[in-house]
Amino acid sequence: MPSSISNSEVVGSLPSPSGPTARTGITLLLAGLAMLFLGLELTSPLILTRLSRIERRVESETQAAKALRPVTPDGRPTVLLAGNSLLIEGVELDSLRDTLAPQYAVSRLAIEQTHYLDWYFGLRRLLEEGARPSVIVLTLATDQLASRFTLGESFAHRQMSARDFALVVKEAKLDKTSASTYLFAHWSNWLANKGFIRQDVLILLVPHFRELAARIADHGPHVNDPSVLLEMARQRLPELRDLAQTYGVTIVLLVPPTLRQDQSQQVQELGNHVGVPVWVLVPPGEFPRDLFVDGFHLNPQGSEIFTARLADQIRKMPVRLSYNSTNDRGSGLKAGSTSDNNVVGGP
């Protein structure tokens, strides 16, 4: 006689699954992602430093800049050259150092593809963290002075102070997505470094990648309207003046040579009016095209001439040092004051 066991009885008699539950799987997945992210955070600086000669240079120059005091132990005022590739290609650092060695100690902090906001907030952070050069010479083209561009996540991590985040959002006109990216990148090595790591991998994998990138790079003016450029200069030169006064340093704007009209003479006049030295050592169009690599960066011959002019200008610059502990956080020296104590340099 056939058995009359019901379906429910059969199902109920089957053993229950012994594998992981959905909750366990999600927990393991999240733990794996956390370990992956932690690994990227810890290793990305090491990977980038190993892959990139530029990163090693920037890190070395940054640490050296943070340690600068107004004068060296042998009594020479310190000069920090800050800027982007226009500084790297336009000024022969070793030659400038050797020429000025009897009078000044010259250092450099150069980060490619940077503009005004990178350096305004970068210098704020550098000075906030204790750097005190006597003089900061900031090298920017006039359209870079007026630009709202930044170096993105790298800027947020390396040059932006957390206390300046709200001001960066305002000045760079960031939308909510970009603002949140900057905030996370400030604290995250991986977010700050991933773009450069990808670039360095391409350099290793793609033949002549550097030459290709140089060809397609945008070197044109980012601010074409002279009235807009001058209006931004009117706003930003006083910002540099106030920053210099806050920390007791001298900040100079150095305009590199250019083939085109760049309103540098007008910017120089504005600087004289608000109290920020603007050095235009080569009037627009004076250097012929054959002194440039790409119509924007100087070649070795152009760099040699420009470096000699810069050395002469720094020699003629009076640097005043007076004892004042308010702004120097323990060094006992204040650079760039109007006091006549310890005047160094001059014509």
Side-chain angles (χ1 to χ4, degrees), residues 84 111-122 140 143-144 146-160 164-165 167-174 178-179 181-183 185 196 222 236:
N84 49 35
I111 303 176
E112 289 89 338
Q113 303 175 55
T114 46
H115 293 74
Y116 171 80
L117 291 179
D118 296 290
W119 285 109
Y120 174 65
F121 289 105
L140 290 174
D143 64 295
Q144 294 170 342
S147 170
R148 293 192 183 274
F149 291 173
T150 72
L151 200 51
E153 291 95 332
S154 176
F155 152 74
H157 187 75
R158 192 197 303 275
Q159 294 177 282
M160 183 188 77
D164 285 335
F165 171 68
L167 188 56
V168 168
V169 172
K170 175 184 176 182
E171 292 297 321
K173 296 189 179 301
L174 301 179
S178 298
T181 300
Y182 276 46
L183 182 61
F196 293 121
H222 297 102
R236 289 175 168 179

Side-chain angles (χ1 to χ4, degrees), residues 113-135:
Q113 303 175 55
T114 46
H115 293 74
Y116 171 80
L117 291 179
D118 296 290
W119 285 109
Y120 174 65
F121 289 105
L123 293 178
R124 280 170 64 100
R125 180 173 177 178
L126 194 68
L127 294 167
E128 176 187 314
E129 292 179 351
R132 287 297 182 278
S134 290
V135 181

